[in-house]
């Protein structure tokens, strides 16, 4: 989440296909909430020993979700709440706890409440009351209060690790299979999909839901292009104050020329920060945390002291650097969101820049919308499932395409390098013209939520 709220300042399968009756919802008792169900590291579930009675080394599943990130876990939990089982494949040895924090607005919290994890997360993270905007010399340009600008708004920055754990802890214990890297995807003569893993394991499934992120192998197999680099990179970090962080629950933004930064307290001891900077190319991948920290500090060495203090208070191993990318889903040009029994969710389908703070929120929306449509179609056979996927694609495209384009445009405006343009932004646009309410209208979106027995 590189300043993922900064935008607020601106503007047919074969007739012989297997029956889908086995996927019909059945009542599933709620899982007992335990903090230890998904530990930081867990012994991977083995898939290789699942041989069929006829001797074929193939495991059969009705629904397989590829990727145990936000989109994958939320989709699995949404289906679980509707009584539909899924298997989640994750290439890592444990939950992917890398990354720092992400900001969720009220549309994201609306979904988290629907799948039953909202209140648990609220107890752990501060509600952000508003934002303050400054220039690089520390001059205050404008301040806003969220609830004054957007009725019912809820903004909290959430640690990615804890979000994943909160969702995973609500799933049956055998849902996630770690160390399961996808090596190949194949269609069968019966219209099913065969997934081959790196270790040679083969899984035959009726439905594949690709939730495998920005560089999604599932999306690539479906014909989607690689995401496009937009000309900006971001440093991110999570500062730690063992004796308590000193900041008010507000987003603080600072704008320079071709460079912007910000920080926000997420809990009583942690503060998330970002620096977004122009770069003609993503540059070499750097993993040395000491080098990353020094590079980040050098970019803003003469900026307000509170930002420098936050960076200095950051453990080196929490700092990351990433290029910002997106993919525009052009109608009639981009591939369909689904093909046969394969469909995409979240970043695998629509990576977007973080300038609106909507990447995670939209992935959560995707999850509940797809789950609702899929659960209602499973009893009708493959044709009903395909139509459900098409309805999902039409509904979500109308939501996603404008947000992707808008996020890209806003990022371009905020990364201006021209001194005249920056002066106009800082002295006229932000202080006199910007209204936050209209810029938060996209968070008023309410998708059709799940109807389940908790």
């Amino acid at each position: 989440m590189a300043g993922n709220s900064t935008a607020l300042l601106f503007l047919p399968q074969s007739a012989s296909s297997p029956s889908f009756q086995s996927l019909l919802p059945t009542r599933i008792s709620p899982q007992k909430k335990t903090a230890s169900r998904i530990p930081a590291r867990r012994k991977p579930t083995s898939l290789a020993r699942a041989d069929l009675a006829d001797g074929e080394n193939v495991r059969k599943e009705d629904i397989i979700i590829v990727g145990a990130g936000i989109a994958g876990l939320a989709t699995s939990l949404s289906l679980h709440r509707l009584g539909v089982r899924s298997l989640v494949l994750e290439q890592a040895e444990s939950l992917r706890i890398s990354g720092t924090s992400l900001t969720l607005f009220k549309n994201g919290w609306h979904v988290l409440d629907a799948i039953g994890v909202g209140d648990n997360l609220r107890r752990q993270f501060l509600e952000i009351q508003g934002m303050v905007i400054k220039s690089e010399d520390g001059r205050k340009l404008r301040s806003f209060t969220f609830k004054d600008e957007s009725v019912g708004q809820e903004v909290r920055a959430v640690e990615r690790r804890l979000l994943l754990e909160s969702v995973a802890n609500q799933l049956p214990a055998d849902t996630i299979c770690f160390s399961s890297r996808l090596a190949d995807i194949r269609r069968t003569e019966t219209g099913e999909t065969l997934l081959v893993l790196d270790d040679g394991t083969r899984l035959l499934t009726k439905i594949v839901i690709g939730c495998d992120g920005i560089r999604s192998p599932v999306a690539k197999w479906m014909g989607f292009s690689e995401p496009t680099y937009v000309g900006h990179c971001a440093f991110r970090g999570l500062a730690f104050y063992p004796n308590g962080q000193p900041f008010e629950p507000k987003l603080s933004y600072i704008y320079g020329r071709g460079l912007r930064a910000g920080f926000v307290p997420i809990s009583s001891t942690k503060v998330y920060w970002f620096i977004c900077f122009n770069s003609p190319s993503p540059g070499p991948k750097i993993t040395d945390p000491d080098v990353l920290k020094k590079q980040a500090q050098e970019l803003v060495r003469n900026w307000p002291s509170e930002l420098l203090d936050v960076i200095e208070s950051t453990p080196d191993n929490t700092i990351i650097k990433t290029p910002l990318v997106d993919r525009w889903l052009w109608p009639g040009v981009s591939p369909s969101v689904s093909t046969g029994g394969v469909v995409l969710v979240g970043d695998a389908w629509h990576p977007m820049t973080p300038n609106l703070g909507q990447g995670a929120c939209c992935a959560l929306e995707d999850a509940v919308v797809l789950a609702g449509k899929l659960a209602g179609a499973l009893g009708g056979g493959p044709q009903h499932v395909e139509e459900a996927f098409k309805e999902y694609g039409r509904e979500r495209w109308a939501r996603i395409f404008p947000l992707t384009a808008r996020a890209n445009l806003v990022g371009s405006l905020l990364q201006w390098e021209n001194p005249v343009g920056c002066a106009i932004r800082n002295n006229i646009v932000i202080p006199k013209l910007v209204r936050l309410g209209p810029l938060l209208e996209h968070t008023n979106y309410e998708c059709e939520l799940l109807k389940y027995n908790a």
Side-chain angles (χ1 to χ4, degrees), residues 162-238:
L162 296 179
L163 173 58
L164 293 179
E165 290 178 354
S166 293
V167 179
N169 284 341
Q170 297 296 310
L171 291 168
D174 59 349
T175 298
I176 308 172
C177 290
F178 297 110
S179 299
S180 300
R181 180 185 292 272
L182 186 63
D184 194 15
I185 309 174
R186 306 172 192 169
R187 297 295 288 173
T188 69
E189 293 181 356
T190 62
E192 294 176 290
T193 303
L194 179 68
L195 303 181
V196 183
L197 306 186
D198 265 359
D199 64 0
T201 299
R202 297 187 297 164
L203 300 101
L204 190 64
T205 184
K206 302 168 185 177
I207 294 171
V208 176
I209 305 177
C211 302
D212 44 346
I214 291 174
R215 307 294 178 186
S216 166
V218 179
K220 183 177 180 180
W221 177 79
M222 294 173 67
F224 283 87
S225 62
E226 286 289 315
T228 301
Y229 174 61
V230 300
H232 327 309
C233 291
F235 286 100
R236 302 174 175 97
L238 200 59

Side-chain angles (χ1 to χ4, degrees), residues 38 42 64-77 86-98 160-169 171 175-182 209-213 217-218 345 348 363:
I38 304 294
R42 190 173 76 175
I64 292 180
I65 296 172
V66 181
I70 294 170
L73 294 180
T75 301
S76 183
L77 183 54
S86 63
L87 179 72
V88 181
L89 304 181
E90 169 53 45
Q91 65 180 6
E93 296 179 0
S94 61
L95 287 179
R96 290 173 288 161
I97 60 174
S98 61
R160 187 178 185 276
R161 172 182 65 86
L162 296 179
L163 173 58
L164 293 179
E165 290 178 354
S166 293
V167 179
N169 284 341
L171 291 168
T175 298
I176 308 172
C177 290
F178 297 110
S179 299
S180 300
R181 180 185 292 272
L182 186 63
I209 305 177
C211 302
D212 44 346
V218 179
V345 169

Side-chain angles (χ1 to χ4, degrees), residues 25 32 36 49 56 94 111 210 214 240 272 276:
K32 182 179 179 181
S36 61
R49 294 191 297 272
E56 293 181 6
S94 61
V111 173
I214 291 174
F240 178 57
Y272 164 76
C276 187

